[in-house]
Amino acid sequence: MRALFPRLGVAVLIGLVAFAVFGPLINLVIWAFAEQWFFPNRLPSQWGFMFWERVFRPRAGAWEALGNSVGIALATVVFSMALAIPAGYALARLVLPFRHLIMLVFLLPQAFPSLPIFVNIAAMFYGLGLNGTYFGVILVHSLPGLVYAVWIATAAFAATDIAMEEAARNLGASPLRTFRDITLPQAAPGLMAASIFVFLDSIDEFTGTFFVGTPDITTLPILMFNAAMGGNYQIAAITALILLIPSVGFMLIIERFLKSDVLARIGR
């Protein structure tokens, strides 16, 4: 009996964690395929793909929203990594004054509630004529994306083998060629993981898009919000499942790319 109670406690804990993780997902799947579901029925009385067909009608706007989400996310990755690669290399290799303060600055967007930040950004962008533009949405998506990009890029460059770079320089390679052929390939797995994090953060971003992009630009999170507010729970659930697919797939890829030596250097 004494040995049974600890095992029972562990089993209950695992069950609660599994319910907390998979319970909402199961409910999401049920709503996605429910055609009729009325109180007090515990399960839908009619199942089918009727609402899937409605979501992907040309006039429904799902294809346009999906294209906007993917296009903005890819552009955000390019913009963020274009800034993060030189910044990460400098923070990892150069002796910079106030290095830790600079790293802390990139964390500030995550240290405060996103709502007041994006409201103020929207006010500034309105004065600059960036509201309702793709470039304005890309900029606002890059704000949280740079947190992942710079921190992971810094760790990736810090984990590269400096001896290989010195050997290339001794053999006559220029600094640019050494960076291109030696440093960048070593840091590539970490940079790829950083790009995936930025992509996932951008494709799921709602608040920034809502204040800067709407009503001119509609993404999948905006479409899901409008459907949920209108009581169209099936359409909201289908949109959420579409957003979930790249998140799960890319997280499996991240687990492969992020090595232990890179993770150990994040924040140093």
Side-chain angles (χ1 to χ4, degrees):
M1 292 296 293
R2 292 181 178 179
L4 180 62
F5 282 112
R7 294 179 182 179
L8 183 61
V10 171
V12 171
L13 180 61
I14 294 175
L16 290 174
V17 172
F19 178 78
V21 173
F22 295 105
L25 295 179
I26 295 173
N27 187 65
L28 200 66
V29 172
I30 292 175
W31 269 112
F33 295 97
E35 292 188 358
Q36 292 183 6
W37 192 1
F38 303 109
F39 182 83
N41 296 336
R42 295 185 178 180
L43 290 174
S45 56
Q46 184 174 338
W47 303 76
F49 295 89
M50 180 178 65
F51 287 95
W52 286 81
E53 188 272 334
R54 289 186 183 181
V55 167
F56 290 104
R57 286 177 183 173
R59 291 181 298 175
W63 288 111
E64 180 184 359
L66 178 60
N68 287 338
S69 295
V70 174
I72 290 171
L74 291 174
T76 302
V77 169
V78 173
F79 183 79
S80 298
M81 296 309 297
L83 297 176
I85 289 176
Y89 184 84
L91 291 168
R93 296 298 182 83
L94 304 181
V95 181
L96 299 176
F98 310 109
R99 177 184 178 276
H100 292 289
L101 181 60
I102 296 173
M103 295 288 290
L104 182 62
V105 168
F106 285 103
L107 278 180
L108 288 180
Q110 300 293 338
F112 299 98
S114 59
L115 182 60
I117 293 176
F118 288 132
V119 168
N120 284 278
I121 289 177
M124 290 188 295
F125 279 13
Y126 183 80
L128 297 173
L130 293 175
N131 274 51
T133 66
Y134 286 98
F135 183 63
V137 175
I138 292 168
L139 286 179
V140 81
H141 282 208
S142 299
L143 182 64
L146 280 172
V147 176
Y148 302 108
V150 172
W151 275 68
I152 298 178
T154 302
F157 284 118
T160 57
D161 189 357
I162 300 179
M164 294 180 64
E165 299 178 20
E166 293 175 345
R169 294 298 304 276
N170 290 334
L171 292 174
S174 64
L176 181 60
R177 185 173 182 181
T178 301
F179 178 80
R180 184 191 65 190
D181 296 340
I182 304 298
T183 309
L184 200 56
Q186 292 185 75
L191 298 178
M192 180 64 69
S195 300
I196 292 174
F197 272 116
V198 175
F199 181 89
L200 293 178
D201 183 80
S202 175
I203 204 170
D204 290 332
E205 176 60 47
F206 165 76
T207 310
T209 310
F210 180 80
F211 284 104
V212 175
T214 55
D216 302 284
I217 298 174
T218 301
T219 60
L220 281 179
I222 297 294
L223 189 67
M224 180 179 65
F225 174 80
N226 291 336
M229 291 296 100
N232 300 315
Y233 301 120
Q234 289 92 338
I235 294 176
I238 293 169
T239 310
L241 286 178
I242 296 172
L243 287 170
L244 190 64
I245 292 173
S247 299
V248 174
F250 279 135
M251 289 306 295
L252 296 176
I253 297 174
I254 288 173
E255 189 273 334
R256 181 177 179 181
F257 276 113
L258 270 183
K259 306 299 182 182
S260 58
D261 54 344
V262 176
L263 290 173
R265 294 179 180 271
I266 293 179
R268 290 188 177 182

